[in-house]
Amino acid sequence: MTKPGDKVLDYNFSDRCKNLEGNAIREIFKLISQPDIISFAGGMPASQALPKDEMRVILNSLLASDIATSLLQYGATEGYVPFLKEGAKYVEKVGIKIKDLSEILAISGGQQGIDLTFKAFINKGDRILVEAPTYVAVPHIAKTYEAELIGVQSDDDGINLEDLEKMILEHNPKLLYIVPTFSNPTGRTIDVEKRKKIAEITAKHNVIVLEDNPYGELRYSGECLPSIKSFDNKGNVIYLTSFSKTISPGMRVGLAVASEKVIRKLTIGKQATDVHTTTLFQAATTEFLKQGLLKEILDKNIPLYKVKLDTMLKALAMYFPSSAKWTHPEGGLFIWVTFPKTIDVAGEIFREAINRKVAYVAGNSSFVDGSGRNCLRLNFSNATETDIMKGIKILGDLLKEKLEGVC
Ligand SMILES: Cc1ncc(COP(=O)(O)O)c(C=O)c1O
């Protein structure tokens, strides 16, 4: 331990890390850890949605079985084969046909899939296109690989195709990162025709697509849609999914699907990062899939989340200023609220909301150009219905107070 007066080393951090700031939402978590705060800030499943009883039975049975010690031993970086086989069947639901297990990799959550993809493809100064707004962790990960991020305009129906092609021609990007289903942060979903066009446009210009789908199973209305990957004829789409939002984020299990060559590079990157995803939880996830338990817990949790979403939509209509507009998602965990450009919800209003014990994520952390201070992201999965009504009223009253004369 250092004592006052000790001369502490002036750390010579790498150029990559020197100017890195923490992911904005991780920082907010510190602020909102007080127990009496109503948080619409995180992106966590509800505590009562986490399948602790099912997990206990599965883990007990795995650890009592004759494969127990192999599950506690080092495993292959590629993944636990029964998990990869179940995973290959699982992604058929979004139209992905895997010919060989060399096209699929077990990853330690979707976040690792983003990191490994950037590690495999990005040189210093390479450009990455992202939706504006995008998932807040992506700028953070991209900075560690010294990429330049460029936002592509997003409309009510997701990424704007004209702007996508324009940005590709102008910036010659290596990669497009996109969350086409129940996007974080907007909750928006891109329709099938647009998915086909995204596959076409990016294939034409040799742009890699990183399609991130952690929320697709949390659908409260409408039909399941085919992935962009299902329209990939050129091998330029990498598909990520995760069991964090459906089973448990704490177990850190997800899947990446791509051409064999890409999976090989991601695997080599993963060897250096964490050797392999925890085999015990890959095996547990295999059982959730094989025994139909994932479907069972979704059948239980989806109505629970739908009630929370409907409650928040109702509360917004009752309490938010008339100048606000918000998305009406068919699934996922977020609602995105937009105010007129003159309104800043990232500064004083945010601090005052925390003082009044309500938290949200201000929109600017999701835009690569620092815009979006007039937007906010609300998570509806974690608070009780009573707290949703109460918290949205507190926020609505605060916004109306501050915006008087503006809205
Ligand atoms: C769009 C998106 N991608 C990836 C992740 C990371 O999830 P995981 O827990 O699977 O790493 C999240 C988590 O919030 C997310 O919203």
Side-chain angles (χ1 to χ4, degrees), residues 117 121 129 164 168 173-178 195-212 227-240 257-263 266:
T117 303
F121 282 98
L129 297 184
L164 172 63
I168 292 177
K174 205 160 212 181
L175 209 140
L176 163 70
Y177 169 81
I178 190 161
R195 288 171 191 239
K196 279 189 201 158
K197 290 262 166 50
I198 293 168
E200 266 170 43
I201 294 171
T202 53
K204 184 168 102 188
H205 296 286
N206 296 320
V207 175
I208 298 290
V209 179
L210 180 56
E211 176 181 18
D212 190 9
S227 55
I228 299 174
K229 176 74 185 155
S230 69
F231 302 112
D232 173 16
N233 301 318
K234 205 175 181 183
N236 66 311
V237 184
I238 300 167
Y239 177 83
L240 303 178
V257 179
S259 71
E260 182 181 347
K261 269 191 177 166
V262 170
I263 289 294
L266 302 187

Side-chain angles (χ1 to χ4, degrees), residues 76-79 101-106 116 119-121 238 256-272 275:
T77 306
E78 287 79 358
L101 292 188
S102 55
E103 296 167 349
I104 185 165
L105 171 69
L116 293 177
K119 193 178 192 180
F121 282 98
I238 300 167
V257 179
S259 71
E260 182 181 347
K261 269 191 177 166
V262 170
I263 289 294
R264 182 71 196 135
K265 280 289 178 229
L266 302 187
T267 307
I268 291 166
K270 185 173 165 66
Q271 285 166 356
V275 185

Side-chain angles (χ1 to χ4, degrees), residues 32 44 158 275 389:
I32 59 173
M44 298 183 285
V275 185
M389 291 305 283

